[in-house]
Amino acid sequence: MRLSGKVALVTGSARGIGRAIALAFCAEGATVVVSDVGSDAGARETLAALTAAGGKGMVEMFDVSDPAQVDVGVKNILEAQGKIDILVNNAGITRDNLLLRMSEEEFDAVVRVNLKGTYLLTKTVTRHMMKQRYGRVINISSVVGMMGNAGQSNYAAAKAGIIGFTKATARELAARNITVNAIAPGFIRTAMTAGLPEAVQKGFLSQIPLGRFAEPAEVAELALFLASDASSYITGQVIGINGGMYM
Ligand code: NAI
């Protein structure tokens, strides 16, 4: 049990990569806080899957981009669990458009959820982690933040911003025994990618040396490594998981 006795908060875990991470952490003994804004039913399904597998957890719903909701959410978790050892900033959205057509709303929404949400959660949760002199923060960036992608200037900017934020906070928090790392996934099979046109999906596939898309569980394995003591000397890193799409 690699996460025995640990409490983990995974944002955006009502489905997709977040749910897979929640399940993987729970299977290694962590108590997992399932959190989302979209689907209460989805969050409850994740919790039901955790408990069915013999794990422990709770649901705490909040919008990662709303400072007041983040404050209340984290406070409720600390009251219920006493601590947070692991934070996974996974909640994310896309609003794709070519730059000339991209509205300010589309730009702001993507930066607000992906980048500002990561800032708000990290600030609120690490205040507590600093006192306990232990923490693992894992930020979900994207291959798009490293190589760009036409039609995703907002998302690429937000995900590249997460990389800079990861490195700066890793330096600030290292003395308190808190590591901060980013995962940059390539093309993972979730609701986020299912909606892409077939031609776009084929275009991506042709750029992937391993010749296939990944399952959320494969990203969860990397998150588990970064959350566990096996990664104790790794901080400020961006680890790609993209089938070789970007090297
Ligand atoms: P998804 O769309 O299946 O799940 C994202 C979850 O985040 C949803 O449950 C949604 O309700 C939640 N969420 C959205 N806005 C929120 C907010 N303001 N507050 C709280 N929760 C919110 O997406 P997926 O694919 O599981 O993505 C998870 C993360 O991985 C995202 O950050 C995404 O950008 C990133 N990613 C995904 C890739 C993929 O190929 N699927 C590739 C690279 C990165």
Side-chain angles (χ1 to χ4, degrees):
M1 290 290 211
R2 283 182 276 176
L3 302 182
S4 174
K6 298 286 196 288
V7 176
L9 165 59
V10 186
T11 67
S13 48
R15 67 182 196 194
I17 294 170
R19 175 179 287 181
I21 291 173
L23 286 166
F25 282 10
C26 214
E28 290 291 334
T31 299
V32 178
V33 182
V34 179
S35 183
D36 210 288
V37 72
S39 166
D40 197 41
R44 304 232 156 256
E45 268 172 43
T46 303
L47 183 66
L50 299 181
T51 47
K56 287 173 294 186
M58 64 181 271
V59 169
E60 182 67 36
M61 301 293 283
F62 56 84
D63 180 343
V64 297
S65 69
D66 180 328
Q69 287 190 36
V70 169
D71 268 351
V72 173
V74 170
K75 192 165 159 270
N76 289 344
I77 296 164
L78 288 172
E79 265 171 31
Q81 304 296 339
K83 61 173 187 167
I84 300 172
D85 302 296
I86 302 159
L87 166 65
V88 184
N89 286 307
N90 166 79
I93 59 167
T94 51
R95 295 282 183 276
D96 298 352
N97 226 332
L98 292 172
L99 176 62
L100 288 183
R101 289 195 210 123
M102 183 170 290
S103 66
E104 278 190 47
E105 287 72 24
E106 287 166 335
F107 189 86
D108 287 346
V110 167
V111 170
R112 196 168 56 239
V113 174
N114 292 276
L115 182 55
K116 188 177 173 187
T118 297
Y119 148 75
L120 287 173
L121 261 298
T122 305
K123 184 175 173 181
T124 312
V125 172
T126 58
R127 183 171 294 147
H128 154 79
M129 286 174 169
M130 284 166 84
K131 285 187 204 138
Q132 68 178 16
R133 292 193 164 264
Y134 180 89
R136 291 271 187 276
V137 181
I138 300 163
N139 299 323
I140 308 297
S141 177
S142 169
V143 70
V144 168
M146 301 170 91
M147 62 185 279
N149 188 27
Q152 291 198 307
S153 56
N154 52 356
Y155 186 73
K159 292 303 196 186
I162 286 176
I163 291 173
F165 182 80
T166 298
K167 293 178 181 180
T169 52
R171 287 183 188 277
E172 285 188 27
L173 297 166
R176 303 292 183 109
N177 194 30
I178 299 168
T179 65
V180 188
N181 292 290
I183 293 177
F187 195 115
I188 317 300
R189 286 185 192 281
T190 68
M192 186 177 271
T193 46
L196 291 172
E198 214 178 299
V200 174
Q201 296 203 21
K202 273 197 179 149
F204 275 118
L205 197 55
S206 69
Q207 298 174 56
I208 301 172
L210 282 180
R212 65 176 180 86
F213 300 140
E215 299 302 325
E218 299 182 271
V219 180
E221 281 299 321
L222 177 54
L224 181 57
F225 169 70
L226 290 174
S228 75
D229 288 336
S231 65
S232 50
Y233 202 55
I234 299 177
T235 196
Q237 303 304 306
V238 184
I239 304 184
I241 174 159
N242 58 38
M245 184 180 181
Y246 180 81
M247 298 183 185

